[in-house]
Amino acid sequence: LNFKKPDYVFKKALRSSISDLLSKGIAPKYYFISLSAEKKHLSKKNIAKIRLALKEEQKKFNIILSGGDTISSKKLSITVAVVGFSKKNPILRSGAKINDDIYLTNKIGDAFIGLNILKKNIKMSKKISNYFIKKFYLPNIPNNFSKKLHLLANSSIDISDGLFQDL
């Protein structure tokens, strides 16, 4: 939507990629970031915010920045690739069976509300708006749950695109 909070934008991009691996029972270990942006996006202030945000995420998820690329462009684009390891095979979507139970590890809809507040489609008090906007930018990822996923699931998916769409 905008680049007013570059630290949040990078955290969201990184968490989205981490979440994809965790939902498969894979522990993320390394990540790569590519960025194309205008000079205004790469101000000293923004770069400092981005570096601090990535450092915080690295500590939180025990991951290592292993490379990437930065180029000048008129269009803003952030690409994150995360790789990891698992002692067992990844849990695939294709393992789903008729009559399987469906479990969610988080509340759904908060990020969608935050997005609509940012788009000015919904108006709420500042305190409530801030809660939902934070959920949009900083999704809560249940990284400890992923370690036990192989014991519970024969199929799994990250539903960041929406529950009904992914079902």
Side-chain angles (χ1 to χ4, degrees):
L1 295 173
N2 59 49
F3 207 66
K4 291 179 184 172
K5 297 183 180 201
D7 46 345
Y8 279 20
V9 171
F10 272 81
K11 283 185 174 191
K12 180 176 180 66
L14 186 54
R15 288 184 185 192
S16 294
S17 292
I18 290 170
S19 179
D20 288 339
L21 288 184
L22 289 174
S23 73
K24 301 299 178 189
I26 299 170
K29 189 62 183 164
Y30 305 102
Y31 74 102
F32 304 82
I33 291 184
S34 293
L35 169 67
S36 61
E38 293 183 69
K39 287 186 179 184
K40 70 179 181 179
H41 294 117
L42 300 174
S43 67
K44 286 184 181 183
K45 183 179 177 181
N46 282 352
I47 289 173
K49 287 181 177 181
I50 292 165
R51 288 183 65 199
L52 179 59
L54 293 177
K55 186 177 179 180
E56 291 170 353
E57 297 301 280
Q58 287 172 188
K59 185 176 180 180
K60 179 178 181 78
F61 296 105
N62 192 28
I63 57 174
I64 300 166
L65 177 61
S66 300
D69 195 18
T70 304
I71 60 169
S72 180
S73 173
K74 292 194 183 272
K75 291 190 176 188
L76 177 64
S77 175
I78 302 166
T79 302
V80 178
V82 180
V83 294
F85 303 95
S86 176
K87 292 179 182 174
K88 299 182 179 186
N89 288 333
I91 302 166
L92 305 176
R93 291 186 215 191
S94 59
K97 299 175 188 143
I98 294 175
N99 295 322
D100 274 354
D101 292 328
I102 297 171
Y103 297 93
L104 303 174
T105 57
N106 250 322
K107 288 190 230 173
I108 57 172
D110 288 359
F112 180 74
I113 293 170
L115 174 62
N116 278 287
I117 291 169
L118 289 168
K119 287 182 169 182
K120 305 203 183 313
N121 294 336
I122 299 174
K123 292 185 182 190
M124 296 182 177
S125 72
K126 185 156 182 75
K127 183 178 178 181
I128 294 172
S129 291
N130 287 341
Y131 167 83
F132 288 113
I133 290 169
K134 189 172 180 181
K135 292 295 182 180
F136 171 75
Y137 281 118
L138 303 174
N140 182 26
I141 302 172
N143 50 334
N144 288 328
F145 180 81
S146 177
K147 295 171 187 171
K148 305 285 186 192
L149 201 54
H150 283 94
L151 301 173
L152 306 168
N154 56 12
S155 175
S156 70
I157 186 171
D158 173 87
I159 62 163
S160 57
D161 294 329
L163 176 62
F164 293 112
Q165 179 177 337
D166 285 332
L167 278 176

